Amino acid sequence: MNNMKAIVYRKYGPPDVARLSTLPRPVPRDNQVLIRVKATTVNRTDSGFRSAEYFVSRFWSGLIRPKYPVLGCEFAGEVIATGSKVKQFKAGDRVFGYNDKSFGGHAEYIAVDETSALALVPASLDYDTAAPLTEGAHYALNNIRAAKVSPGQQVLVYGATGAIGTAAVQLLKHFGARVTAVCNTKNVALVEQLGADVVIDYLREDFTQTGEQYHFIFDAVGKSSFTACRPLLTPQGIYISTELGKRGANIFYALTTARSKGQRVLFPIPVIDQQDVLLLQELAKQGAFTPVIDRYYNLEEIVEAYRYVETGQKTGNVVIKVA
């Protein structure tokens, strides 16, 4: 019984390169915990590494073929064993976390360092809700910090209904910003419930014609541009997108505006550590942040889950039930 079910991909490509397989169960090192995964997610991070659509991702995941054959950066589950030097966690603990270095969440078991992006699941949350606490939120958190958002500032979130956008709206409100959120008609009520002060339905109104100015414009889906948003920014306003932009424009603008005292484009590299996860844990306890969940799939249905995520139409997160 030392094997486990896992979703394995041996080459880059479309969703169907991911296949249900059997692998040896990981053995935790002295500083690691072994977790029986109860829930994970399929998200943009997993999809991006699996497809290698941006070739640069291969510098982390392997130039020719994947170094880490099991994807899944988010997970929630139960600690079933600990290494000899582990002090923070014990068998039976309910934990959630994030691992975009070696992944591994799309499996029945995962072993991670105790000091990695790992924390106890808040008592009020089940595993399905805890699993999507980190991916979208840590991207949003990194960008909010990079823009140095302060209380009272005007912030616009374009694409406020994905995993990143729904997290950004909630986190920005927690940090005291006044939030204008752009979404489609069917999600207006949801985004209002998340706390947005103003909601713009892009199917009925051009957000670039609002007449407002913003300290920070955050494109959480990568479908706008700095040139289109520039007139909406304050004189020292910040623009950040989660994508490179057409022909890598956002990288170019980030370089050329880096020393500017006026409007700037930033392209921060996202990072996450245990303190970030503990912050998200605390916000979840307070009810200040709750991940939005669109659909649930079983582990065996992961190809279908990937296909749905890559339609670009999901609202919030797609959760995979592992156990």
Side-chain angles (χ1 to χ4, degrees), residues 244-282:
L244 299 176
K246 191 174 183 179
R247 299 188 183 92
N250 292 327
I251 298 294
F252 170 77
Y253 285 125
L255 293 171
T256 56
T257 64
R259 297 183 180 277
S260 172
K261 294 182 179 180
Q263 297 169 336
R264 288 184 296 148
V265 175
L266 302 181
F267 203 85
I269 302 300
V271 294
I272 185 171
D273 59 24
Q274 196 165 58
Q275 290 305 307
D276 295 326
V277 179
L278 289 171
L279 171 61
L280 296 173
Q281 176 203 62
E282 183 59 31

Tab-separated table of all heavy atoms in Angstrom, residues 244-282:
chain	number	residue	atom	x	y	z
A	244	LEU	N	1.853	39.153	-19.908
A	244	LEU	CA	2.951	39.895	-20.520
A	244	LEU	C	2.464	41.047	-21.390
A	244	LEU	O	3.179	42.029	-21.584
A	244	LEU	CB	3.810	38.956	-21.376
A	244	LEU	CG	4.491	37.796	-20.647
A	244	LEU	CD1	5.209	36.902	-21.654
A	244	LEU	CD2	5.474	38.310	-19.609
A	245	GLY	N	1.241	40.917	-21.917
A	245	GLY	CA	0.727	41.916	-22.840
A	245	GLY	C	1.100	41.592	-24.271
A	245	GLY	O	1.948	40.731	-24.540
A	246	LYS	N	0.474	42.275	-25.204
A	246	LYS	CA	0.737	42.039	-26.624
A	246	LYS	C	2.195	42.304	-26.947
A	246	LYS	O	2.732	43.374	-26.659
A	246	LYS	CB	-0.164	42.947	-27.469
A	246	LYS	CG	-0.167	42.614	-28.956
A	246	LYS	CD	-1.190	43.454	-29.697
A	246	LYS	CE	-1.250	43.084	-31.175
A	246	LYS	NZ	-2.257	43.891	-31.902
A	247	ARG	N	2.852	41.287	-27.533
A	247	ARG	CA	4.276	41.360	-27.874
A	247	ARG	C	5.152	41.728	-26.662
A	247	ARG	O	6.165	42.410	-26.783
A	247	ARG	CB	4.515	42.345	-29.015
A	247	ARG	CG	3.810	41.980	-30.322
A	247	ARG	CD	4.261	42.890	-31.455
A	247	ARG	NE	3.543	42.589	-32.678
A	247	ARG	CZ	2.415	43.200	-33.042
A	247	ARG	NH1	1.886	44.136	-32.258
A	247	ARG	NH2	1.809	42.872	-34.175
A	248	GLY	N	4.723	41.285	-25.476
A	248	GLY	CA	5.506	41.550	-24.279
A	248	GLY	C	5.531	43.004	-23.866
A	248	GLY	O	6.454	43.452	-23.179
A	249	ALA	N	4.476	43.742	-24.227
A	249	ALA	CA	4.461	45.194	-23.984
A	249	ALA	C	4.617	45.551	-22.515
A	249	ALA	O	5.241	46.570	-22.178
A	249	ALA	CB	3.164	45.787	-24.534
A	250	ASN	N	4.060	44.744	-21.617
A	250	ASN	CA	4.105	45.103	-20.200
A	250	ASN	C	5.522	45.006	-19.635
A	250	ASN	O	5.884	45.775	-18.735
A	250	ASN	CB	3.146	44.229	-19.404
A	250	ASN	CG	1.697	44.531	-19.743
A	250	ASN	OD1	1.343	45.668	-20.050
A	250	ASN	ND2	0.848	43.521	-19.705
A	251	ILE	N	6.313	44.084	-20.159
A	251	ILE	CA	7.723	44.017	-19.755
A	251	ILE	C	8.458	45.259	-20.261
A	251	ILE	O	9.236	45.881	-19.532
A	251	ILE	CB	8.393	42.746	-20.314
A	251	ILE	CG1	7.725	41.495	-19.752
A	251	ILE	CG2	9.878	42.746	-19.991
A	251	ILE	CD1	7.907	41.304	-18.282
A	252	PHE	N	8.199	45.639	-21.509
A	252	PHE	CA	8.833	46.826	-22.090
A	252	PHE	C	8.493	48.076	-21.283
A	252	PHE	O	9.384	48.853	-20.914
A	252	PHE	CB	8.367	46.996	-23.543
A	252	PHE	CG	8.773	48.304	-24.165
A	252	PHE	CD1	10.072	48.499	-24.611
A	252	PHE	CD2	7.857	49.347	-24.290
A	252	PHE	CE1	10.451	49.722	-25.176
A	252	PHE	CE2	8.223	50.552	-24.847
A	252	PHE	CZ	9.531	50.748	-25.291
A	253	TYR	N	7.205	48.255	-20.983
A	253	TYR	CA	6.792	49.443	-20.225
A	253	TYR	C	7.335	49.419	-18.797
A	253	TYR	O	7.673	50.471	-18.233
A	253	TYR	CB	5.269	49.560	-20.200
A	253	TYR	CG	4.661	50.032	-21.503
A	253	TYR	CD1	3.678	49.290	-22.152
A	253	TYR	CD2	5.054	51.237	-22.078
A	253	TYR	CE1	3.118	49.723	-23.344
A	253	TYR	CE2	4.502	51.679	-23.270
A	253	TYR	CZ	3.530	50.916	-23.892
A	253	TYR	OH	2.977	51.350	-25.072
A	254	ALA	N	7.411	48.221	-18.202
A	254	ALA	CA	7.963	48.125	-16.851
A	254	ALA	C	9.416	48.591	-16.829
A	254	ALA	O	9.858	49.255	-15.885
A	254	ALA	CB	7.849	46.696	-16.342
A	255	LEU	N	10.157	48.269	-17.878
A	255	LEU	CA	11.563	48.688	-17.966
A	255	LEU	C	11.689	50.181	-18.248
A	255	LEU	O	12.510	50.877	-17.637
A	255	LEU	CB	12.282	47.881	-19.050
A	255	LEU	CG	12.456	46.378	-18.777
A	255	LEU	CD1	12.992	45.674	-20.015
A	255	LEU	CD2	13.389	46.152	-17.587
A	256	THR	N	10.877	50.681	-19.174
A	256	THR	CA	11.026	52.079	-19.596
A	256	THR	C	10.432	53.074	-18.605
A	256	THR	O	10.807	54.249	-18.625
A	256	THR	CB	10.381	52.298	-20.979
A	256	THR	OG1	9.007	51.901	-20.931
A	256	THR	CG2	11.108	51.487	-22.048
A	257	THR	N	9.522	52.627	-17.743
A	257	THR	CA	8.942	53.551	-16.752
A	257	THR	C	9.527	53.339	-15.358
A	257	THR	O	9.096	53.984	-14.403
A	257	THR	CB	7.408	53.392	-16.675
A	257	THR	OG1	7.084	52.074	-16.191
A	257	THR	CG2	6.759	53.624	-18.029
A	258	ALA	N	10.501	52.444	-15.232
A	258	ALA	CA	11.018	52.054	-13.915
A	258	ALA	C	11.521	53.246	-13.106
A	258	ALA	O	11.317	53.317	-11.893
A	258	ALA	CB	12.132	51.016	-14.077
A	259	ARG	N	12.177	54.206	-13.764
A	259	ARG	CA	12.744	55.356	-13.055
A	259	ARG	C	11.860	56.596	-13.147
A	259	ARG	O	12.249	57.678	-12.703
A	259	ARG	CB	14.135	55.670	-13.607
A	259	ARG	CG	15.135	54.539	-13.394
A	259	ARG	CD	16.527	54.903	-13.897
A	259	ARG	NE	17.481	53.839	-13.694
A	259	ARG	CZ	18.142	53.610	-12.560
A	259	ARG	NH1	17.944	54.423	-11.533
A	259	ARG	NH2	18.997	52.611	-12.460
A	260	SER	N	10.690	56.416	-13.706
A	260	SER	CA	9.784	57.551	-13.873
A	260	SER	C	9.217	58.009	-12.533
A	260	SER	O	8.951	57.204	-11.644
A	260	SER	CB	8.635	57.157	-14.808
A	260	SER	OG	7.657	58.175	-14.840
A	261	LYS	N	9.032	59.326	-12.403
A	261	LYS	CA	8.348	59.880	-11.235
A	261	LYS	C	6.859	60.031	-11.506
A	261	LYS	O	6.113	60.508	-10.654
A	261	LYS	CB	8.967	61.222	-10.850
A	261	LYS	CG	10.410	61.115	-10.366
A	261	LYS	CD	10.972	62.466	-9.953
A	261	LYS	CE	12.412	62.320	-9.462
A	261	LYS	NZ	12.983	63.634	-9.052
A	262	GLY	N	6.445	59.635	-12.712
A	262	GLY	CA	5.043	59.704	-13.081
A	262	GLY	C	4.413	58.323	-13.107
A	262	GLY	O	4.713	57.471	-12.270
A	263	GLN	N	3.542	58.102	-14.067
A	263	GLN	CA	2.851	56.822	-14.180
A	263	GLN	C	3.845	55.704	-14.501
A	263	GLN	O	4.774	55.884	-15.282
A	263	GLN	CB	1.794	56.911	-15.273
A	263	GLN	CG	0.703	57.934	-14.971
A	263	GLN	CD	-0.180	58.213	-16.172
A	263	GLN	OE1	0.226	58.011	-17.317
A	263	GLN	NE2	-1.391	58.699	-15.927
A	264	ARG	N	3.591	54.541	-13.875
A	264	ARG	CA	4.522	53.431	-14.071
A	264	ARG	C	3.780	52.116	-14.293
A	264	ARG	O	2.662	51.930	-13.812
A	264	ARG	CB	5.432	53.267	-12.850
A	264	ARG	CG	6.480	54.352	-12.694
A	264	ARG	CD	7.396	54.039	-11.519
A	264	ARG	NE	6.669	54.039	-10.261
A	264	ARG	CZ	6.971	53.264	-9.219
A	264	ARG	NH1	7.971	52.396	-9.306
A	264	ARG	NH2	6.281	53.342	-8.110
A	265	VAL	N	4.444	51.234	-15.027
A	265	VAL	CA	3.998	49.847	-15.158
A	265	VAL	C	4.941	48.995	-14.327
A	265	VAL	O	6.160	49.123	-14.425
A	265	VAL	CB	4.030	49.376	-16.627
A	265	VAL	CG1	3.679	47.891	-16.718
A	265	VAL	CG2	3.064	50.199	-17.465
A	266	LEU	N	4.372	48.132	-13.492
A	266	LEU	CA	5.171	47.206	-12.702
A	266	LEU	C	4.881	45.781	-13.166
A	266	LEU	O	3.780	45.472	-13.632
A	266	LEU	CB	4.841	47.338	-11.210
A	266	LEU	CG	5.024	48.718	-10.574
A	266	LEU	CD1	4.679	48.666	-9.089
A	266	LEU	CD2	6.434	49.228	-10.776
A	267	PHE	N	5.879	44.936	-13.039
A	267	PHE	CA	5.694	43.519	-13.368
A	267	PHE	C	6.372	42.691	-12.286
A	267	PHE	O	7.413	42.080	-12.508
A	267	PHE	CB	6.266	43.189	-14.752
A	267	PHE	CG	5.646	41.964	-15.359
A	267	PHE	CD1	4.464	42.042	-16.066
A	267	PHE	CD2	6.243	40.717	-15.203
A	267	PHE	CE1	3.877	40.912	-16.616
A	267	PHE	CE2	5.675	39.586	-15.752
A	267	PHE	CZ	4.488	39.680	-16.455
A	268	PRO	N	5.789	42.675	-11.076
A	268	PRO	CA	6.433	41.981	-9.956
A	268	PRO	C	6.424	40.467	-10.140
A	268	PRO	O	5.476	39.894	-10.674
A	268	PRO	CB	5.575	42.387	-8.752
A	268	PRO	CG	4.247	42.741	-9.329
A	268	PRO	CD	4.528	43.318	-10.676
A	269	ILE	N	7.484	39.820	-9.704
A	269	ILE	CA	7.566	38.365	-9.722
A	269	ILE	C	6.880	37.844	-8.455
A	269	ILE	O	7.289	38.198	-7.338
A	269	ILE	CB	9.027	37.872	-9.761
A	269	ILE	CG1	9.743	38.448	-10.989
A	269	ILE	CG2	9.075	36.350	-9.767
A	269	ILE	CD1	9.121	38.071	-12.309
A	270	PRO	N	5.839	37.038	-8.585
A	270	PRO	CA	5.101	36.604	-7.392
A	270	PRO	C	5.901	35.636	-6.529
A	270	PRO	O	6.562	34.721	-7.037
A	270	PRO	CB	3.860	35.914	-7.980
A	270	PRO	CG	4.281	35.476	-9.341
A	270	PRO	CD	5.248	36.508	-9.826
A	271	VAL	N	5.844	35.856	-5.234
A	271	VAL	CA	6.472	34.953	-4.265
A	271	VAL	C	5.468	34.694	-3.147
A	271	VAL	O	4.520	35.463	-2.948
A	271	VAL	CB	7.769	35.547	-3.673
A	271	VAL	CG1	8.843	35.671	-4.739
A	271	VAL	CG2	7.496	36.913	-3.031
A	272	ILE	N	5.665	33.605	-2.437
A	272	ILE	CA	4.790	33.281	-1.314
A	272	ILE	C	5.615	32.548	-0.269
A	272	ILE	O	6.486	31.743	-0.601
A	272	ILE	CB	3.580	32.426	-1.765
A	272	ILE	CG1	2.601	32.195	-0.603
A	272	ILE	CG2	4.024	31.127	-2.385
A	272	ILE	CD1	1.285	31.551	-1.033
A	273	ASP	N	5.358	32.859	0.999
A	273	ASP	CA	6.034	32.150	2.082
A	273	ASP	C	5.017	31.847	3.183
A	273	ASP	O	3.828	32.140	3.049
A	273	ASP	CB	7.221	32.954	2.628
A	273	ASP	CG	6.822	34.328	3.170
A	273	ASP	OD1	5.647	34.513	3.555
A	273	ASP	OD2	7.688	35.215	3.229
A	274	GLN	N	5.490	31.276	4.264
A	274	GLN	CA	4.572	30.849	5.319
A	274	GLN	C	3.853	32.027	5.964
A	274	GLN	O	2.683	31.907	6.359
A	274	GLN	CB	5.337	30.050	6.377
A	274	GLN	CG	4.424	29.248	7.305
A	274	GLN	CD	5.191	28.201	8.086
A	274	GLN	OE1	6.119	28.527	8.817
A	274	GLN	NE2	4.798	26.939	7.936
A	275	GLN	N	4.503	33.166	6.058
A	275	GLN	CA	3.843	34.334	6.643
A	275	GLN	C	2.657	34.783	5.790
A	275	GLN	O	1.630	35.221	6.322
A	275	GLN	CB	4.852	35.479	6.806
A	275	GLN	CG	5.899	35.224	7.876
A	275	GLN	CD	5.293	34.890	9.226
A	275	GLN	OE1	4.439	35.638	9.733
A	275	GLN	NE2	5.715	33.797	9.822
A	276	ASP	N	2.790	34.678	4.480
A	276	ASP	CA	1.672	35.025	3.597
A	276	ASP	C	0.494	34.076	3.823
A	276	ASP	O	-0.665	34.498	3.868
A	276	ASP	CB	2.100	34.956	2.127
A	276	ASP	CG	3.157	35.980	1.782
A	276	ASP	OD1	3.121	37.078	2.366
A	276	ASP	OD2	4.013	35.687	0.941
A	277	VAL	N	0.800	32.786	3.959
A	277	VAL	CA	-0.264	31.806	4.171
A	277	VAL	C	-0.927	32.033	5.531
A	277	VAL	O	-2.143	31.905	5.669
A	277	VAL	CB	0.285	30.371	4.043
A	277	VAL	CG1	-0.814	29.347	4.280
A	277	VAL	CG2	0.876	30.160	2.664
A	278	LEU	N	-0.141	32.394	6.525
A	278	LEU	CA	-0.708	32.689	7.841
A	278	LEU	C	-1.600	33.924	7.792
A	278	LEU	O	-2.626	33.996	8.483
A	278	LEU	CB	0.411	32.878	8.868
A	278	LEU	CG	1.155	31.594	9.249
A	278	LEU	CD1	2.389	31.925	10.092
A	278	LEU	CD2	0.240	30.636	10.009
A	279	LEU	N	-1.232	34.912	6.966
A	279	LEU	CA	-2.099	36.072	6.782
A	279	LEU	C	-3.422	35.663	6.159
A	279	LEU	O	-4.495	36.075	6.616
A	279	LEU	CB	-1.401	37.110	5.902
A	279	LEU	CG	-2.268	38.291	5.441
A	279	LEU	CD1	-2.782	39.097	6.640
A	279	LEU	CD2	-1.508	39.189	4.471
A	280	LEU	N	-3.373	34.839	5.113
A	280	LEU	CA	-4.597	34.382	4.464
A	280	LEU	C	-5.430	33.528	5.413
A	280	LEU	O	-6.666	33.600	5.402
A	280	LEU	CB	-4.250	33.596	3.195
A	280	LEU	CG	-3.546	34.406	2.103
A	280	LEU	CD1	-3.084	33.498	0.971
A	280	LEU	CD2	-4.450	35.515	1.575
A	281	GLN	N	-4.757	32.749	6.238
A	281	GLN	CA	-5.461	31.959	7.263
A	281	GLN	C	-6.238	32.894	8.203
A	281	GLN	O	-7.411	32.659	8.506
A	281	GLN	CB	-4.437	31.147	8.065
A	281	GLN	CG	-5.024	30.356	9.236
A	281	GLN	CD	-3.957	30.063	10.285
A	281	GLN	OE1	-3.383	30.981	10.879
A	281	GLN	NE2	-3.684	28.777	10.496
A	282	GLU	N	-5.581	33.959	8.656
A	282	GLU	CA	-6.218	34.890	9.582
A	282	GLU	C	-7.378	35.633	8.926
A	282	GLU	O	-8.441	35.821	9.540
A	282	GLU	CB	-5.187	35.889	10.113
A	282	GLU	CG	-5.727	36.870	11.156
A	282	GLU	CD	-6.293	36.177	12.384
A	282	GLU	OE1	-5.807	35.090	12.755
A	282	GLU	OE2	-7.243	36.734	12.974
